[in-house]
Amino acid sequence: MTNAAISQERHRRCWAYALLAPSAFWYLALLILPLIVVLVYSVGERAETGGYQAAFTFDNYLNLGARWTAFQNTLTLAPAGTLICLLAGYPLAYYLAVKASPRARLFLLILVIVPFWTSFLIRTYAWMFILGGRGLPQLLDYIGIEGVRFINTPFAVLVGIVYAYLPLMVFPIFVSLEKLDKRLLEASEDLGAAPFATFRQVTLPLSAPGVITGCMLVFILLMGEYLIPQMLGGGKVFFIGNALVDLFLQSLNWPFGSACAMALVAIMIVTVTLYLKATRAKGGRDVSLV
């Protein structure tokens, strides 16, 4: 390689580093450094008046079982909510991308987007009224079904989760299906494949990147959810996010709260890694979660 070529290659690398520097700085400042701080806090001790006291102990991690209910609710309802969003969102995304006319598609997409035009808090309050004693239970009383209770139950939390996060599942799948070559579906039908076989062998594999992206987006956000369990669970169905608020703002036990946060991060990393590896092992393609 000549000196001119070497100089040109160094010039390109310098430009690449210069372009990456701002994003790398914000990534370090807003993600890596806070995680390091939380990790340091997690091996400390609670001060007498609350907060953090420097120490090096793993007692906080050994005491994670004290918040087992929060971990159990999160690890149960977050995957369940993701699965329900997938089962409800895939048919809608398929209809929008494959079956709907351009005018109907535009109208339906607007309907999917409309909930984002209002406050998330207001929408959750609306579900509190719908699922509360003056909502659906009162309506059921009128038709003779008494004693039904929805609010402050896992069912209410799941309803709020599906309502809030369904669009985040629909859009990635819709984008994948919109790029689907319709001639592949026609070729499958011409070769005698049944509709379900066409879906299983052609449509589903080609839409896998959108499915993976949607599932990861919903699952990762649900693992840190706070507002929906707080309002629709009424303190009886709470996630790790609710436990963290209690530990940091009320109990002022920052080290234990940091240990719970690090455990949550570890669970998310392991779960997402295993999911992506299993998908690739089945022949799935790599997909960006951004």
Side-chain angles (χ1 to χ4, degrees):
M1 184 178 292
T2 64
N3 291 334
I6 295 175
S7 178
Q8 186 177 10
E9 181 65 23
R10 289 178 178 174
H11 184 71
R12 289 178 179 176
R13 289 183 179 180
C14 288
W15 271 109
Y17 292 149
L19 293 174
L20 289 174
S23 59
F25 171 77
W26 288 114
Y27 180 80
L28 178 66
L30 300 180
L31 181 63
I32 302 301
L33 290 181
L35 280 178
I36 294 175
V37 172
V38 173
L39 179 61
V40 172
Y41 275 25
S42 69
V43 295
E45 294 179 347
R46 183 183 185 276
E48 293 183 2
T49 57
Y52 167 75
Q53 179 176 317
F56 186 77
T57 176
F58 293 101
D59 291 344
N60 296 314
Y61 289 97
L62 297 177
N63 195 35
L64 288 176
R67 297 288 175 168
W68 168 244
T69 302
F71 280 97
Q72 184 180 32
N73 289 336
T74 304
L75 296 176
T76 301
L77 296 179
T82 303
L83 179 61
I84 296 173
C85 285
L86 175 61
L87 295 178
Y90 196 101
L92 176 57
Y94 180 84
Y95 179 80
L96 290 173
V98 179
K99 299 295 184 180
S101 64
R103 180 177 297 180
R105 179 184 305 165
L106 177 62
F107 176 73
L108 292 174
L109 283 174
I110 292 175
L111 291 181
V112 175
I113 298 173
V114 161
F116 288 108
W117 295 356
T118 59
S119 169
F120 183 79
L121 181 64
I122 294 175
R123 286 183 280 141
T124 308
Y125 266 121
W127 276 108
M128 289 182 64
F129 175 79
I130 294 173
L131 299 176
R134 298 183 180 180
L136 287 178
Q138 187 175 29
L139 179 62
L140 293 176
D141 284 341
Y142 288 148
I143 61 177
I145 304 177
E146 300 179 355
V148 178
R149 180 172 172 269
F150 293 122
I151 199 69
N152 300 339
T153 64
F155 173 79
V157 175
L158 276 178
V159 169
I161 285 173
V162 174
Y163 174 77
Y165 290 95
L166 184 60
L168 296 181
M169 182 68 73
V170 171
F171 288 128
I173 299 176
F174 168 76
V175 171
S176 291
L177 290 173
E178 192 179 28
K179 299 176 182 178
L180 180 65
D181 190 348
K182 306 302 188 298
R183 293 174 298 180
L184 295 175
L185 304 180
E186 297 174 358
S188 179
E189 294 178 2
D190 292 340
L191 292 174
F196 180 75
T198 299
F199 171 78
R200 181 173 56 86
Q201 298 176 4
V202 179
T203 306
L204 186 58
L206 293 177
S207 64
V211 172
I212 296 172
T213 301
C215 289
M216 290 298 98
L217 283 174
V218 173
F219 177 75
I220 291 172
L221 292 176
L222 283 180
M223 290 292 286
E225 179 59 50
Y226 164 77
L227 186 62
I228 294 176
Q230 180 69 21
M231 297 181 66
L232 299 181
K236 297 181 180 179
V237 182
F238 48 91
F239 281 19
I240 299 177
N242 305 97
L244 293 179
V245 170
D246 173 68
L247 290 170
F248 276 97
L249 300 183
Q250 298 181 17
S251 303
L252 298 180
N253 193 344
W254 294 3
F256 186 41
S258 299
C260 291
M262 292 304 301
L264 176 61
V265 171
I267 291 172
M268 292 172 60
I269 292 175
V270 171
T271 303
V272 172
T273 301
L274 292 177
Y275 182 83
L276 293 179
K277 283 187 176 182
T279 303
R280 292 170 186 171
K282 294 180 181 179
R285 293 179 292 178
D286 292 344
V287 58
S288 172
L289 297 181
V290 180

